[in-house]
Amino acid sequence: MRFARSASCFLLLFGIILIGVTSCEKRIPGRVIKKKCIDCHQKEAKEFKGAKVVHSPVSKDDCESCHRPHGIIGGVYLRKSKKELCYTCHKDSKAMLNKKHVHAPVKDGKCIDCHNPHSSMEKNLLKGSGNDLCFICHKKDDYSRKTEHAPLSDRGCLVCHDAHGSDYEKFLFDSMANVCRKCHNFKKSDFINGHSGYQPGGAACVSCHTPHTSSNTKLLREFVHSPLDQNQCRACHNLPESAQPLEVKEKGADLCYGCHEKSKSAFRKAHIHLPVEKGDCLSCHSPHATDHKYVTVLPDGKLCYSCHKEAAEFLKKSHVHKPIQDNNCTACHNPHASNNEFGVKAAGKSLCFGCHEQNDYTRSNVHDPVKKGDCTACHNPHASNNKFELHLVEIEQCYNCHQKEKTLFDRVNVHTPLRLGRCVVCHNPHSIDQDKLLVQPRKKLCFTCHQGMLDGVKGGTIHPSFQKGECSTCHDDHASDHDFQLIETGGDNCYRCHASIQTSSERNQYNHAPLKQGECTACHNPHGSKIKGQLNRPLGSLCLSCHSDLAAHIEKDKYQHTPAKEGSCLRCHTPHYANIESLLSDKVPRLCKDCHHIETQAMARAHYTVAILNSDCISCHESHTAENKGLLHKVMHPPFKDGNCTACH
């Protein structure tokens, strides 16, 4: 408790000292005098005042009119939000927000996007000079073509536009006609002669000319209707000297078909685009010039969306077909007429093959929807929230047709690709030269993912099925109710090939416990091993992993039978089954004779000349370990212990 009080007092004292050192206040006995920002920020103030134009509060050292000192660390907190702060002084400027068209930085209250709040080398505290300021946001390439409009090149954007807001479109300072009239005299003979004797209306200037830059002469837009390009206005309009010179000679499509006669017959198809059917060519095309291919009034996608508003929603999807993404609707649809539904340029998969390599869909084994040419059975031709523009998530799309498989695959253990819903990891959804639409020959397919398992046993004993890639011999390709998708459980899975072991085990009286329990993999690696017999570990340690009591004796007893010491268990025992207890490979003493020469004089002397030719060795000796050199049983009959065999024999 005393320590806690001391710590609190220390923190309080430290806080008081810190306030005294860093506060924006001068402390004089009896009174407190607030510091001004300028008292500390001399370097910044000098830098700001060195510019050509200095913001009034900065020039008066009145930083506090915009900033407020805060706490003990000082800083740049504004007195009001950015949207409101500037209007504190510039009250008249707030009226700009009431304009019909407001420049985005003004609307968002981001004055400092264009103006420096402290000082600048430019008039009005602008961050850049002339058009360079505009090019901070507006892409310069669009304004840097061969032919430049004089105001853009000589005097700058503000000759025509108001930088803050306007009641006129495009932030023009006046109507389009009046803006053009500011420099151009529409009634001047040179102007009229330059327009083939016509006096066009001011508002129509931009229907032929770009207001900024162009790749063409006379600032004509990038794509020019042929009669205009050839200065043949009278091909469509009445003569200049007529009462209504700008009126067209014929109405609607009849005027267009005067030149585009072949189109008229080409458009007589089963499915005609509504504007074409109505003869309303100008709903899509400009009669003079535009910046869009085919002289359309808007770029391809935007033009279509002006009527097909619901189609614009495609762009909001997670996965959008590339033509839609590129606003290239006419890649698939004929904008005038077609004999195919929805005005598509070709029927079925023929349309898709316009972009997608046909060979990928015509191999020897073809998915049924592809064979039928029905790509849209799986894919949305426009956009989807699913990968590859599928109607449904991948696996559900497959199950849409493969309902039977969906039921069969509803198992306890499911193959990882299937569990993740990725059928295409193994199957090609379109066409392939492999059976079952497999992406690789069956013998290689599993190793696409499981190559590491094969590499791990290289140079050892490999299960033939595994080595050949015949994994489906043991495993179900998709799902199973057994571990590791095994076709059968335990030994039953092995006996499908190793039937002889099952038959022999049934004929023998004694079976090894793992075999009896069907746990073949307790001893064997089902795929392969670098240890002979596909064993999970070296033979000795493998046996001792179950026979723990024997392992303990081998560890602590002084003497070990050589096979036990060397882990050569199979010198005496069979690994699977036997008709002799303890799975011995032969009866005693025949088993012992394989190593011990029991007929020799030396062996007879060791047994006190008692004949042991037909004796039961293990009636006296331990099979594995003992505390004595002769591996004799721990408890011995006294005459035997003393070597007095003749007392009984």
Side-chain angles (χ1 to χ4, degrees):
M1 180 66 79
R2 185 181 300 163
F3 174 77
R5 282 204 199 99
S6 300
S8 299
C9 291
F10 173 77
L11 290 172
L12 180 60
L13 179 62
F14 177 77
I16 293 168
I17 293 169
L18 187 64
I19 290 170
V21 172
T22 61
S23 175
C24 294
E25 296 177 345
K26 293 179 182 177
R27 296 187 174 273
I28 298 174
R31 60 188 180 135
V32 175
I33 302 173
K34 285 188 177 180
K35 291 181 183 179
K36 292 177 71 69
C37 299
I38 197 72
D39 291 338
C40 294
H41 299 286
Q42 291 285 338
K43 181 182 174 183
E44 289 84 352
K46 185 177 179 181
E47 185 181 324
F48 293 154
K49 291 178 180 178
K52 191 182 291 185
V53 183
V54 183
H55 196 195
S56 177
V58 177
S59 66
K60 297 173 183 176
D61 295 337
D62 187 16
C63 308
E64 292 79 8
S65 64
C66 297
H67 298 282
R68 59 181 177 86
H70 54 99
I72 61 172
I73 58 172
V76 291
Y77 285 166
L78 297 174
R79 289 193 172 277
K80 292 185 177 181
S81 68
K82 287 181 184 178
K83 283 190 174 185
E84 294 297 326
L85 182 62
C86 298
Y87 298 138
T88 306
C89 296
H90 302 282
K91 293 180 173 60
D92 294 343
S93 299
K94 195 169 186 177
M96 294 183 297
L97 294 171
N98 299 323
K99 298 285 186 182
K100 191 173 181 181
H101 303 280
V102 182
H103 197 196
V106 178
K107 185 188 293 184
D108 297 337
K110 295 180 179 178
C111 304
I112 59 173
D113 279 6
C114 301
H115 301 278
N116 192 306
H118 298 109
S119 63
S120 170
M121 298 304 291
E122 307 296 334
K123 189 170 75 169
N124 297 323
L125 292 169
L126 293 173
K127 285 187 172 180
S129 59
N131 297 339
D132 289 338
L133 177 66
C134 302
F135 293 145
I136 293 172
C137 296
H138 299 280
K139 193 176 178 182
K140 191 173 184 176
D141 293 350
D142 296 337
Y143 302 87
S144 305
R145 287 174 286 203
K146 183 174 69 176
T147 308
E148 291 187 342
H149 194 193
L152 182 69
S153 57
D154 298 341
R155 289 168 284 171
C157 306
L158 300 186
V159 171
C160 299
H161 301 281
D162 190 301
H164 297 105
S166 170
D167 286 328
Y168 301 99
E169 200 173 354
K170 307 292 184 187
F171 310 120
L172 295 172
F173 64 80
D174 203 339
S175 66
M176 194 174 292
N178 288 339
V179 170
C180 296
R181 283 194 187 97
K182 183 178 179 182
C183 299
H184 301 281
N185 187 342
F186 295 167
K187 294 182 179 180
K188 198 173 180 180
S189 59
D190 289 348
F191 185 86
I192 294 171
N193 291 336
H195 290 82
S196 303
Y198 291 90
Q199 185 179 334
C205 299
V206 292
S207 69
C208 300
H209 303 280
T210 174
H212 300 114
T213 65
S214 171
S215 302
N216 301 315
T217 57
K218 304 296 183 184
L219 284 172
L220 285 172
R221 291 191 175 274
E222 297 301 294
F223 297 92
V224 185
H225 192 199
S226 181
L228 177 65
D229 195 34
Q230 296 169 18
N231 209 20
Q232 293 293 320
C233 302
R234 60 188 66 199
C236 300
H237 295 278
N238 292 331
L239 296 175
E241 58 271 17
S242 65
Q244 295 180 310
L246 296 179
E247 287 293 317
V248 291
K249 292 178 177 179
E250 293 188 72
K251 298 293 183 183
D254 291 336
L255 177 66
C256 302
Y257 291 144
C259 294
H260 301 280
E261 188 176 353
K262 288 182 180 178
S263 297
K264 186 175 183 179
S265 56
F267 296 163
R268 290 174 185 156
K269 293 186 177 174
H271 300 274
I272 303 172
H273 196 196
L274 189 60
V276 177
E277 196 170 18
K278 290 180 176 179
D280 186 11
C281 306
L282 299 188
S283 65
C284 298
H285 298 280
S286 167
H288 300 116
T290 73
D291 289 328
H292 316 300
K293 201 174 178 181
Y294 306 118
V295 205
T296 55
V297 294
L298 289 169
D300 191 343
K302 289 184 179 179
L303 176 62
C304 300
Y305 300 147
S306 63
C307 291
H308 302 281
K309 292 180 170 49
E310 74 290 347
E313 295 297 311
F314 295 146
L315 294 170
K316 297 177 183 177
K317 302 279 187 181
S318 305
H319 300 275
V320 182
H321 195 196
K322 194 173 186 305
I324 300 294
Q325 203 169 37
D326 296 342
N327 283 319
N328 187 13
C329 304
T330 55
C332 300
H333 298 276
N334 189 307
H336 299 108
S338 169
N339 283 322
N340 303 305
E341 195 175 9
F342 306 118
V344 292
K345 290 181 173 179
K349 60 186 177 184
S350 300
L351 176 66
C352 302
F353 290 156
C355 296
H356 299 279
E357 182 57 49
Q358 186 170 348
N359 292 338
D360 293 338
Y361 304 85
T362 53
R363 297 187 182 101
S364 57
N365 194 5
V366 185
H367 195 196
D368 197 48
V370 179
K371 193 183 292 184
K372 292 175 180 175
D374 189 9
C375 304
T376 57
C378 299
H379 302 278
N380 187 302
H382 299 108
S384 167
N385 283 323
N386 303 309
K387 202 173 180 182
F388 308 118
E389 293 89 64
L390 293 171
H391 293 296
L392 303 167
V393 292
E394 186 179 309
I395 194 164
E396 292 301 326
Q397 187 66 58
C398 297
Y399 286 153
N400 199 40
C401 294
H402 300 282
Q403 287 291 324
K404 180 182 176 183
E405 284 77 5
K406 183 177 183 179
T407 304
L408 290 173
F409 299 161
D410 186 14
R411 297 286 186 265
V412 175
N413 287 290
V414 182
H415 193 196
T416 299
L418 182 64
R419 179 167 50 80
L420 297 175
R422 299 299 321 283
C423 304
V424 296
V425 169
C426 300
H427 301 279
N428 187 303
H430 301 115
S431 78
I432 200 77
D433 290 329
Q434 274 43 263
D435 187 36
K436 303 289 186 184
L437 290 169
L438 295 175
V439 296
Q440 292 263 20
R442 185 177 282 277
K443 292 185 178 182
K444 294 182 179 179
L445 179 62
C446 298
F447 295 131
T448 306
C449 296
H450 301 289
Q451 182 65 40
M453 294 174 67
L454 185 61
D455 293 341
V457 294
K458 193 174 182 180
T461 305
I462 305 175
H463 196 189
S465 299
F466 181 60
Q467 190 170 28
K468 295 174 185 176
E470 295 172 351
C471 304
S472 57
T473 303
C474 301
H475 302 275
D476 190 287
D477 298 328
H478 297 101
S480 165
D481 286 329
H482 311 307
D483 287 344
F484 310 112
Q485 296 150 236
L486 293 173
I487 295 171
E488 299 284 352
T489 56
D492 290 338
N493 209 48
C494 303
Y495 296 149
R496 293 168 63 245
C497 293
H498 302 281
S500 60
I501 291 180
Q502 184 181 23
T503 305
S504 297
S505 69
E506 290 169 352
R507 285 202 302 257
N508 281 267
Q509 186 178 355
Y510 301 100
N511 280 191
H512 194 194
L515 180 70
K516 189 186 296 183
Q517 294 159 10
E519 295 178 357
C520 306
T521 56
C523 299
H524 301 282
N525 187 305
H527 297 111
S529 169
K530 291 190 176 180
I531 301 166
K532 188 178 178 181
Q534 286 178 227
L535 296 178
N536 288 323
R537 61 175 76 180
L539 182 61
S541 61
L542 176 65
C543 296
L544 295 177
S545 66
C546 288
H547 299 283
S548 54
D549 55 336
L550 179 57
H553 278 289
I554 290 175
E555 180 71 26
K556 71 178 183 178
D557 290 352
K558 188 173 181 180
Y559 298 97
Q560 292 91 29
H561 191 196
T562 300
K565 186 177 181 178
E566 294 175 349
S568 303
C569 307
L570 297 186
R571 281 167 66 176
C572 301
H573 301 278
T574 61
H576 296 116
Y577 42 77
N579 277 319
I580 304 170
E581 194 174 3
S582 299
L583 296 178
L584 292 176
S585 56
D586 203 347
K587 289 183 178 180
V588 176
R590 285 198 306 273
L591 177 64
C592 302
K593 284 172 66 177
D594 288 343
C595 297
H596 302 281
H597 303 292
I598 62 177
E599 297 173 355
T600 63
Q601 288 296 320
M603 185 66 74
R605 283 195 298 271
H607 290 83
Y608 306 104
T609 68
V610 175
I612 59 169
L613 191 60
N614 296 311
S615 299
D616 182 3
C617 304
I618 58 176
S619 66
C620 297
H621 298 280
E622 291 286 347
S623 309
H624 300 103
T625 68
E627 289 293 333
N628 55 74
K629 190 174 182 179
L631 296 179
L632 295 169
H633 293 314
K634 189 173 183 181
V635 179
M636 292 180 277
H637 190 205
F640 177 77
K641 184 176 182 182
D642 297 335
N644 186 12
C645 300
T646 56
C648 299
H649 295 278

